[in-house]
Amino acid sequence: MKRITKIAGTFLRKLHTFYAREEQRRIVSTFAECGDGFTMGYPFLINGVNHYDEFANPVDARNIHIGDDVHLGAYITMFATRAKIFIGDHTFTGPFVTIMTGDHPMDIKGKYMKQTYKNDLRADGRDISMYDKDVVIEEDVWIGSNVTILKGVHIGRGSVVAAGSVVTSSFPPYSIVGGGGKAKLLKYRLNVEEILEHEKQVYDESKRLTREYLQSYIE
C-alpha cells in the first residue's frame, strides 16, 4: 500500500508541475510584452482585459507588461481590465500579492452597487475613466507577501513594500513603505550619496537618477 501511495504521489506531483507550466505558458503568451527570465508561482489568477467585452478570452492578459528577470510569487492576482499593469526589470514579489487597476462604481444613485456595471454606464454616455487607472511598478522593486496594490499607483525603482500593506498612493524611488492598513512612507532604503553610487554600478548613465531629482524628495 505504501508503495502504491508513493507512486501515486510522484505521478500527481509530476502532473501538477506539467499543468502549472502549461498554464503559465498560456497566460504569458497573451501578455502585451514579457521579458527574458520571467518566472511565476502557481496557482495564479490573471485577467488583462474586460471579460464583459465581446473580445474577451478566459486566458487573455493583453494589458499586462512585464520586464526582464521578474518573479511573481504563487497566488498572484492581477486584474487589468480597462487599464494597464507595468512591472519593471528585476522586480519580485512574495505570495498572495494582488494588483488591481480598477474599482467598482459606488457613486451611482438609484441602483444597488452590485447592479452597477461600467459597460452600462459607458453605454449611457457616462465617463468611466475615473474608475480605472494604470499601475506602474518600476524596476528592482521588492513586494512582500499579502500586499494589495490598487488603481493608479506608481512605485518608484528600488522600493520595498512591506508584507500586508495596502498601497493606494504612489511612492518615489528607493522608498520603504508599509504599516498597518494603508501603506505610508517609512523611510528611504539609501541616502542620496548611496543611491548615486549604487546606480553607477547597475544602470547605464542615461538611466541614472540625478542628484537634483533625488534631493528633491529625499532631503
Side-chain angles (χ1 to χ4, degrees):
M1 185 65 180
K2 288 184 178 179
R3 179 176 174 80
I4 294 174
T5 301
K6 184 177 180 180
I7 292 172
T10 300
F11 172 77
L12 289 173
R13 284 192 295 272
K14 289 183 177 180
L15 181 63
H16 178 271
T17 299
F18 173 78
Y19 182 78
R21 287 176 179 170
E22 275 299 295
E23 284 295 287
Q24 178 173 324
R25 183 193 62 78
R26 288 202 302 154
I27 196 68
V28 167
S29 71
T30 71
F31 286 164
E33 57 181 329
C34 186
D36 295 332
F38 172 70
T39 58
M40 179 168 57
Y42 184 84
F44 52 82
L45 180 59
I46 296 175
N47 193 332
V49 298
N50 176 19
H51 61 276
Y52 293 108
D53 284 346
E54 64 277 3
F55 56 74
N57 185 312
V59 181
D60 197 331
R62 70 185 71 181
N63 291 352
I64 296 175
H65 302 249
I66 305 287
D68 294 332
D69 187 33
V70 170
H71 174 72
L72 304 178
Y75 296 94
I76 184 80
T77 296
M78 293 195 291
F79 281 175
T81 55
R82 289 184 180 83
K84 297 177 181 179
I85 294 173
F86 297 88
I87 299 179
D89 300 344
H90 313 298
T91 285
F92 64 108
T93 83
F96 295 99
V97 168
T98 298
I99 304 172
M100 307 284 287
T101 64
D103 58 18
H104 195 79
M106 58 181 180
D107 56 344
I108 306 302
K109 302 179 183 66
K111 288 187 176 182
Y112 298 113
M113 286 187 289
K114 185 177 182 298
Q115 298 173 344
T116 305
Y117 300 107
K118 291 181 222 178
N119 276 7
D120 294 339
L121 298 178
R122 182 173 57 188
D124 290 340
R126 291 178 180 262
D127 178 11
I128 63 171
S129 61
M130 68 191 78
Y131 304 118
D132 296 87
K133 303 290 183 182
D134 293 350
V135 170
V136 179
I137 300 168
E138 294 187 1
E139 63 271 21
D140 190 29
V141 174
W142 172 21
I143 300 171
S145 61
N146 288 290
V147 167
T148 299
I149 299 173
L150 299 181
K151 70 171 187 178
V153 165
H154 188 137
I155 299 173
R157 73 165 61 159
S159 292
V160 176
V161 183
S165 301
V166 178
V167 187
T168 62
S169 56
S170 299
F171 293 94
Y174 297 96
S175 298
I176 297 180
V177 306
K182 182 179 177 181
K184 58 185 177 181
L185 177 65
L186 302 178
K187 62 179 182 178
Y188 292 101
R189 273 183 58 208
L190 305 168
N191 62 37
V192 171
E193 296 301 326
E194 290 171 330
I195 293 172
L196 292 172
E197 180 59 32
H198 167 70
E199 296 217 339
K200 282 183 182 179
Q201 299 180 48
V202 296
Y203 292 111
D204 293 336
E205 186 173 0
S206 62
K207 295 182 178 180
R208 296 172 196 163
L209 301 177
T210 66
R211 178 183 298 274
E212 292 73 22
Y213 174 73
L214 294 169
Q215 288 176 332
S216 70
Y217 66 83
I218 291 183
E219 297 181 355

